[in-house]
mmCIF file of all heavy atoms in Angstrom:
data_model
loop_
_atom_site.group_PDB
_atom_site.id
_atom_site.type_symbol
_atom_site.label_atom_id
_atom_site.label_comp_id
_atom_site.label_asym_id
_atom_site.label_seq_id
_atom_site.Cartn_x
_atom_site.Cartn_y
_atom_site.Cartn_z
ATOM 1 N N GLY A 114 6.573 2.474 -7.329
ATOM 2 C CA GLY A 114 6.430 2.123 -8.756
ATOM 3 C C GLY A 114 5.115 1.854 -9.244
ATOM 4 O O GLY A 114 4.862 1.502 -10.447
ATOM 5 N N ALA A 115 4.086 1.870 -8.433
ATOM 6 C CA ALA A 115 2.729 1.653 -8.900
ATOM 7 C C ALA A 115 2.322 2.746 -9.862
ATOM 8 O O ALA A 115 2.617 3.945 -9.623
ATOM 9 C CB ALA A 115 1.796 1.635 -7.638
ATOM 10 N N ARG A 116 1.511 2.471 -10.831
ATOM 11 C CA ARG A 116 1.060 3.482 -11.791
ATOM 12 C C ARG A 116 -0.479 3.653 -11.723
ATOM 13 O O ARG A 116 -0.927 4.504 -12.344
ATOM 14 C CB ARG A 116 1.456 3.191 -13.207
ATOM 15 C CG ARG A 116 2.998 3.162 -13.388
ATOM 16 C CD ARG A 116 3.473 3.386 -14.767
ATOM 17 N NE ARG A 116 2.761 2.523 -15.768
ATOM 18 C CZ ARG A 116 3.202 1.345 -16.136
ATOM 19 N NH1 ARG A 116 4.293 0.774 -15.517
ATOM 20 N NH2 ARG A 116 2.591 0.573 -17.071
ATOM 21 N N GLY A 117 -1.162 2.846 -10.925
ATOM 22 C CA GLY A 117 -2.536 2.937 -10.724
ATOM 23 C C GLY A 117 -2.871 2.827 -9.309
ATOM 24 O O GLY A 117 -2.306 2.137 -8.447
ATOM 25 N N PHE A 118 -3.835 3.578 -8.804
ATOM 26 C CA PHE A 118 -4.238 3.740 -7.357
ATOM 27 C C PHE A 118 -5.725 4.127 -7.328
ATOM 28 O O PHE A 118 -6.097 5.183 -7.724
ATOM 29 C CB PHE A 118 -3.414 4.659 -6.681
ATOM 30 C CG PHE A 118 -3.418 4.678 -5.130
ATOM 31 C CD1 PHE A 118 -2.563 3.906 -4.493
ATOM 32 C CD2 PHE A 118 -4.490 5.160 -4.385
ATOM 33 C CE1 PHE A 118 -2.535 3.696 -3.010
ATOM 34 C CE2 PHE A 118 -4.541 5.054 -3.043
ATOM 35 C CZ PHE A 118 -3.528 4.424 -2.374
ATOM 36 N N LEU A 119 -6.593 3.121 -6.881
ATOM 37 C CA LEU A 119 -7.977 3.478 -6.572
ATOM 38 C C LEU A 119 -8.499 2.659 -5.468
ATOM 39 O O LEU A 119 -7.982 1.661 -5.120
ATOM 40 C CB LEU A 119 -8.817 3.347 -7.902
ATOM 41 C CG LEU A 119 -8.913 1.977 -8.591
ATOM 42 C CD1 LEU A 119 -10.157 2.134 -9.571
ATOM 43 C CD2 LEU A 119 -7.687 1.624 -9.358
ATOM 44 N N ALA A 120 -9.650 3.139 -4.986
ATOM 45 C CA ALA A 120 -10.386 2.557 -3.873
ATOM 46 C C ALA A 120 -11.194 1.251 -4.275
ATOM 47 O O ALA A 120 -11.569 1.169 -5.498
ATOM 48 C CB ALA A 120 -11.309 3.455 -3.158
ATOM 49 N N LYS A 121 -11.255 0.208 -3.266
ATOM 50 C CA LYS A 121 -11.936 -0.877 -3.521
ATOM 51 C C LYS A 121 -13.386 -0.746 -3.922
ATOM 52 O O LYS A 121 -14.044 -1.619 -4.614
ATOM 53 C CB LYS A 121 -11.905 -1.828 -2.400
ATOM 54 C CG LYS A 121 -10.600 -2.614 -2.287
ATOM 55 C CD LYS A 121 -10.581 -3.653 -1.243
ATOM 56 C CE LYS A 121 -9.285 -4.427 -1.093
ATOM 57 N NZ LYS A 121 -9.273 -5.437 -0.040
ATOM 58 N N ASP A 122 -13.972 0.411 -3.485
ATOM 59 C CA ASP A 122 -15.376 0.619 -3.749
ATOM 60 C C ASP A 122 -15.583 1.315 -5.038
ATOM 61 O O ASP A 122 -16.727 1.755 -5.497
ATOM 62 C CB ASP A 122 -16.054 1.372 -2.607
ATOM 63 C CG ASP A 122 -15.410 2.807 -2.395
ATOM 64 O OD1 ASP A 122 -14.543 3.122 -3.073
ATOM 65 O OD2 ASP A 122 -15.896 3.473 -1.514
ATOM 66 N N ALA A 123 -14.462 1.404 -5.876
ATOM 67 C CA ALA A 123 -14.784 2.048 -7.233
ATOM 68 C C ALA A 123 -15.457 1.047 -8.074
ATOM 69 O O ALA A 123 -15.386 -0.182 -7.923
ATOM 70 C CB ALA A 123 -13.296 2.282 -7.855
ATOM 71 N N PRO A 124 -16.243 1.570 -9.000
ATOM 72 C CA PRO A 124 -17.085 0.708 -10.054
ATOM 73 C C PRO A 124 -16.068 -0.115 -10.914
ATOM 74 O O PRO A 124 -14.840 0.344 -11.126
ATOM 75 C CB PRO A 124 -17.891 1.650 -10.854
ATOM 76 C CG PRO A 124 -17.319 2.987 -10.636
ATOM 77 C CD PRO A 124 -16.579 3.049 -9.335
ATOM 78 N N VAL A 125 -16.553 -1.289 -11.372
ATOM 79 C CA VAL A 125 -15.596 -2.050 -12.007
ATOM 80 C C VAL A 125 -15.100 -1.531 -13.394
ATOM 81 O O VAL A 125 -13.989 -1.785 -13.757
ATOM 82 C CB VAL A 125 -16.320 -3.515 -12.280
ATOM 83 C CG1 VAL A 125 -17.491 -3.399 -13.304
ATOM 84 C CG2 VAL A 125 -15.324 -4.619 -12.724
ATOM 85 N N ASP A 126 -15.926 -0.686 -14.007
ATOM 86 C CA ASP A 126 -15.489 -0.109 -15.294
ATOM 87 C C ASP A 126 -14.345 0.802 -15.032
ATOM 88 O O ASP A 126 -13.515 1.048 -15.861
ATOM 89 C CB ASP A 126 -16.682 0.580 -16.027
ATOM 90 C CG ASP A 126 -17.318 1.733 -15.237
ATOM 91 O OD1 ASP A 126 -17.326 1.612 -14.036
ATOM 92 O OD2 ASP A 126 -17.947 2.606 -15.822
ATOM 93 N N GLN A 127 -14.297 1.430 -13.807
ATOM 94 C CA GLN A 127 -13.284 2.381 -13.422
ATOM 95 C C GLN A 127 -11.974 1.513 -13.295
ATOM 96 O O GLN A 127 -10.881 1.941 -13.706
ATOM 97 C CB GLN A 127 -13.569 3.207 -12.224
ATOM 98 C CG GLN A 127 -12.553 4.224 -11.863
ATOM 99 C CD GLN A 127 -12.972 5.039 -10.647
ATOM 100 O OE1 GLN A 127 -14.117 4.983 -10.207
ATOM 101 N NE2 GLN A 127 -12.184 5.823 -10.221
ATOM 102 N N LEU A 128 -12.092 0.342 -12.618
ATOM 103 C CA LEU A 128 -10.894 -0.580 -12.329
ATOM 104 C C LEU A 128 -10.420 -1.094 -13.783
ATOM 105 O O LEU A 128 -9.203 -1.010 -13.954
ATOM 106 C CB LEU A 128 -11.379 -1.722 -11.439
ATOM 107 C CG LEU A 128 -10.260 -2.811 -11.336
ATOM 108 C CD1 LEU A 128 -8.918 -2.146 -10.804
ATOM 109 C CD2 LEU A 128 -10.782 -3.841 -10.440
ATOM 110 N N ALA A 129 -11.396 -1.463 -14.640
ATOM 111 C CA ALA A 129 -10.981 -1.934 -15.849
ATOM 112 C C ALA A 129 -10.229 -0.880 -16.689
ATOM 113 O O ALA A 129 -9.202 -1.135 -17.344
ATOM 114 C CB ALA A 129 -12.227 -2.465 -16.676
ATOM 115 N N GLY A 130 -10.763 0.246 -16.585
ATOM 116 C CA GLY A 130 -10.086 1.444 -17.336
ATOM 117 C C GLY A 130 -8.728 1.763 -16.814
ATOM 118 O O GLY A 130 -7.816 2.066 -17.550
ATOM 119 N N ALA A 131 -8.594 1.660 -15.436
ATOM 120 C CA ALA A 131 -7.252 1.837 -14.779
ATOM 121 C C ALA A 131 -6.218 0.716 -15.368
ATOM 122 O O ALA A 131 -5.126 1.131 -15.629
ATOM 123 C CB ALA A 131 -7.393 1.759 -13.336
ATOM 124 N N ILE A 132 -6.740 -0.503 -15.370
ATOM 125 C CA ILE A 132 -5.856 -1.569 -15.822
ATOM 126 C C ILE A 132 -5.452 -1.288 -17.212
ATOM 127 O O ILE A 132 -4.226 -1.531 -17.592
ATOM 128 C CB ILE A 132 -6.627 -2.902 -15.755
ATOM 129 C CG1 ILE A 132 -6.645 -3.252 -14.180
ATOM 130 C CG2 ILE A 132 -5.837 -4.017 -16.363
ATOM 131 C CD1 ILE A 132 -7.692 -4.466 -13.867
ATOM 132 N N ARG A 133 -6.391 -0.951 -18.084
ATOM 133 C CA ARG A 133 -6.038 -0.723 -19.600
ATOM 134 C C ARG A 133 -4.999 0.430 -19.650
ATOM 135 O O ARG A 133 -4.057 0.312 -20.471
ATOM 136 C CB ARG A 133 -7.232 -0.376 -20.259
ATOM 137 C CG ARG A 133 -8.128 -1.602 -20.471
ATOM 138 C CD ARG A 133 -9.446 -1.099 -21.383
ATOM 139 N NE ARG A 133 -10.363 -2.271 -21.221
ATOM 140 C CZ ARG A 133 -11.460 -2.325 -20.583
ATOM 141 N NH1 ARG A 133 -11.876 -1.229 -19.909
ATOM 142 N NH2 ARG A 133 -12.276 -3.350 -20.699
ATOM 143 N N ARG A 134 -5.199 1.483 -18.844
ATOM 144 C CA ARG A 134 -4.261 2.638 -19.096
ATOM 145 C C ARG A 134 -2.849 2.373 -18.566
ATOM 146 O O ARG A 134 -1.970 2.684 -19.187
ATOM 147 C CB ARG A 134 -4.886 3.831 -18.150
ATOM 148 C CG ARG A 134 -4.063 5.154 -18.460
ATOM 149 C CD ARG A 134 -4.704 6.441 -17.926
ATOM 150 N NE ARG A 134 -6.120 6.538 -18.280
ATOM 151 C CZ ARG A 134 -6.858 7.553 -17.883
ATOM 152 N NH1 ARG A 134 -6.340 8.431 -17.000
ATOM 153 N NH2 ARG A 134 -8.063 7.832 -18.361
ATOM 154 N N VAL A 135 -2.824 1.606 -17.396
ATOM 155 C CA VAL A 135 -1.582 1.240 -16.854
ATOM 156 C C VAL A 135 -0.903 0.189 -17.829
ATOM 157 O O VAL A 135 0.318 0.384 -18.075
ATOM 158 C CB VAL A 135 -1.697 0.500 -15.439
ATOM 159 C CG1 VAL A 135 -0.381 -0.168 -15.060
ATOM 160 C CG2 VAL A 135 -2.066 1.662 -14.462
ATOM 161 N N HIS A 136 -1.551 -0.636 -18.412
ATOM 162 C CA HIS A 136 -1.025 -1.613 -19.506
ATOM 163 C C HIS A 136 -0.472 -0.814 -20.652
ATOM 164 O O HIS A 136 0.648 -1.210 -21.236
ATOM 165 C CB HIS A 136 -2.131 -2.582 -19.894
ATOM 166 C CG HIS A 136 -1.681 -3.457 -21.002
ATOM 167 N ND1 HIS A 136 -0.550 -4.257 -20.833
ATOM 168 C CD2 HIS A 136 -2.098 -3.699 -22.195
ATOM 169 C CE1 HIS A 136 -0.387 -5.005 -21.949
ATOM 170 N NE2 HIS A 136 -1.327 -4.711 -22.795
ATOM 171 N N GLU A 137 -1.038 0.296 -20.963
ATOM 172 C CA GLU A 137 -0.620 1.055 -22.135
ATOM 173 C C GLU A 137 0.597 2.069 -21.693
ATOM 174 O O GLU A 137 1.159 2.709 -22.559
ATOM 175 C CB GLU A 137 -1.736 1.974 -22.605
ATOM 176 C CG GLU A 137 -2.927 1.201 -23.364
ATOM 177 C CD GLU A 137 -4.167 2.021 -23.474
ATOM 178 O OE1 GLU A 137 -4.086 3.183 -23.072
ATOM 179 O OE2 GLU A 137 -5.089 1.420 -23.984
ATOM 180 N N GLY A 138 1.009 1.946 -20.451
ATOM 181 C CA GLY A 138 2.104 2.753 -20.048
ATOM 182 C C GLY A 138 1.767 4.038 -19.331
ATOM 183 O O GLY A 138 2.607 4.815 -18.937
ATOM 184 N N GLY A 139 0.367 4.290 -19.153
ATOM 185 C CA GLY A 139 0.011 5.458 -18.490
ATOM 186 C C GLY A 139 -0.233 5.325 -17.028
ATOM 187 O O GLY A 139 0.147 4.294 -16.447
ATOM 188 N N ARG A 140 -0.847 6.289 -16.401
ATOM 189 C CA ARG A 140 -1.133 6.243 -14.992
ATOM 190 C C ARG A 140 -2.670 6.427 -14.788
ATOM 191 O O ARG A 140 -3.340 7.072 -15.616
ATOM 192 C CB ARG A 140 -0.553 7.391 -14.208
ATOM 193 C CG ARG A 140 0.901 7.326 -14.053
ATOM 194 C CD ARG A 140 1.498 8.410 -13.197
ATOM 195 N NE ARG A 140 2.880 8.425 -13.163
ATOM 196 C CZ ARG A 140 3.668 7.750 -12.427
ATOM 197 N NH1 ARG A 140 3.126 6.946 -11.497
ATOM 198 N NH2 ARG A 140 4.975 7.857 -12.310
ATOM 199 N N TYR A 141 -3.188 5.892 -13.749
ATOM 200 C CA TYR A 141 -4.607 6.143 -13.344
ATOM 201 C C TYR A 141 -4.619 6.307 -11.837
ATOM 202 O O TYR A 141 -4.317 5.357 -11.068
ATOM 203 C CB TYR A 141 -5.511 4.977 -13.710
ATOM 204 C CG TYR A 141 -6.930 5.323 -13.486
ATOM 205 C CD1 TYR A 141 -7.734 5.842 -14.471
ATOM 206 C CD2 TYR A 141 -7.456 5.225 -12.198
ATOM 207 C CE1 TYR A 141 -9.125 6.228 -14.231
ATOM 208 C CE2 TYR A 141 -8.778 5.555 -11.929
ATOM 209 C CZ TYR A 141 -9.640 6.026 -12.965
ATOM 210 O OH TYR A 141 -10.881 6.470 -12.630
ATOM 211 N N ILE A 142 -4.975 7.496 -11.405
ATOM 212 C CA ILE A 142 -5.046 7.766 -9.969
ATOM 213 C C ILE A 142 -6.484 8.455 -9.642
ATOM 214 O O ILE A 142 -6.902 9.326 -10.297
ATOM 215 C CB ILE A 142 -3.977 8.760 -9.477
ATOM 216 C CG1 ILE A 142 -2.658 8.059 -9.851
ATOM 217 C CG2 ILE A 142 -4.054 9.158 -8.091
ATOM 218 C CD1 ILE A 142 -1.480 8.985 -9.614
ATOM 219 N N ASP A 143 -7.150 7.830 -8.636
ATOM 220 C CA ASP A 143 -8.392 8.438 -8.351
ATOM 221 C C ASP A 143 -8.253 9.775 -7.946
ATOM 222 O O ASP A 143 -7.449 10.265 -7.186
ATOM 223 C CB ASP A 143 -8.922 7.548 -7.060
ATOM 224 C CG ASP A 143 -10.134 7.943 -6.587
ATOM 225 O OD1 ASP A 143 -10.246 9.107 -5.787
ATOM 226 O OD2 ASP A 143 -11.222 7.341 -6.882
ATOM 227 N N THR A 144 -9.193 10.668 -8.582
ATOM 228 C CA THR A 144 -9.021 12.102 -8.431
ATOM 229 C C THR A 144 -9.221 12.542 -7.055
ATOM 230 O O THR A 144 -8.511 13.544 -6.552
ATOM 231 C CB THR A 144 -9.969 12.842 -9.305
ATOM 232 O OG1 THR A 144 -11.324 12.366 -9.123
ATOM 233 C CG2 THR A 144 -9.605 12.592 -10.837
ATOM 234 N N ASP A 145 -10.128 12.004 -6.323
ATOM 235 C CA ASP A 145 -10.298 12.357 -4.835
ATOM 236 C C ASP A 145 -9.145 12.105 -4.023
ATOM 237 O O ASP A 145 -8.729 12.935 -3.115
ATOM 238 C CB ASP A 145 -11.540 11.654 -4.278
ATOM 239 C CG ASP A 145 -12.829 12.205 -4.911
ATOM 240 O OD1 ASP A 145 -12.890 13.248 -5.479
ATOM 241 O OD2 ASP A 145 -13.823 11.406 -4.788
ATOM 242 N N LEU A 146 -8.514 10.956 -4.273
ATOM 243 C CA LEU A 146 -7.291 10.543 -3.516
ATOM 244 C C LEU A 146 -6.154 11.520 -3.912
ATOM 245 O O LEU A 146 -5.316 11.882 -3.017
ATOM 246 C CB LEU A 146 -6.902 9.211 -3.728
ATOM 247 C CG LEU A 146 -7.878 8.147 -3.188
ATOM 248 C CD1 LEU A 146 -7.445 6.708 -3.654
ATOM 249 C CD2 LEU A 146 -8.036 8.136 -1.740
ATOM 250 N N ALA A 147 -6.061 11.873 -5.202
ATOM 251 C CA ALA A 147 -4.934 12.740 -5.560
ATOM 252 C C ALA A 147 -5.143 14.072 -4.936
ATOM 253 O O ALA A 147 -4.167 14.677 -4.474
ATOM 254 C CB ALA A 147 -4.925 12.890 -7.141
ATOM 255 N N ALA A 148 -6.373 14.609 -4.788
ATOM 256 C CA ALA A 148 -6.700 15.933 -4.119
ATOM 257 C C ALA A 148 -6.166 15.798 -2.792
ATOM 258 O O ALA A 148 -5.662 16.782 -2.221
ATOM 259 C CB ALA A 148 -8.108 16.363 -4.436
ATOM 260 N N ALA A 149 -6.588 14.737 -2.068
ATOM 261 C CA ALA A 149 -6.383 14.632 -0.599
ATOM 262 C C ALA A 149 -4.842 14.595 -0.438
ATOM 263 O O ALA A 149 -4.368 15.050 0.530
ATOM 264 C CB ALA A 149 -7.019 13.364 -0.148
ATOM 265 N N ALA A 150 -4.087 13.945 -1.356
ATOM 266 C CA ALA A 150 -2.708 13.783 -1.288
ATOM 267 C C ALA A 150 -2.022 15.187 -1.289
ATOM 268 O O ALA A 150 -1.074 15.468 -0.602
ATOM 269 C CB ALA A 150 -2.120 12.868 -2.225
ATOM 270 N N MET A 151 -2.544 16.115 -2.252
ATOM 271 C CA MET A 151 -1.923 17.272 -2.381
ATOM 272 C C MET A 151 -2.173 18.144 -1.156
ATOM 273 O O MET A 151 -1.303 18.920 -0.669
ATOM 274 C CB MET A 151 -2.500 18.049 -3.565
ATOM 275 C CG MET A 151 -1.893 17.408 -4.859
ATOM 276 S SD MET A 151 -2.274 18.353 -6.328
ATOM 277 C CE MET A 151 -4.082 18.554 -6.310
#
Side-chain angles (χ1 to χ4, degrees):
R116 296 204 310 272
F118 193 95
L119 65 163
K121 279 186 180 177
D122 60 1
V125 70
D126 59 336
Q127 191 176 348
L128 173 58
I132 291 169
R133 293 182 186 108
R134 189 172 302 177
V135 166
H136 176 58
E137 292 164 0
R140 290 185 187 274
Y141 186 95
I142 298 166
D143 180 278
T144 52
D145 290 340
L146 293 174
M151 289 192 303

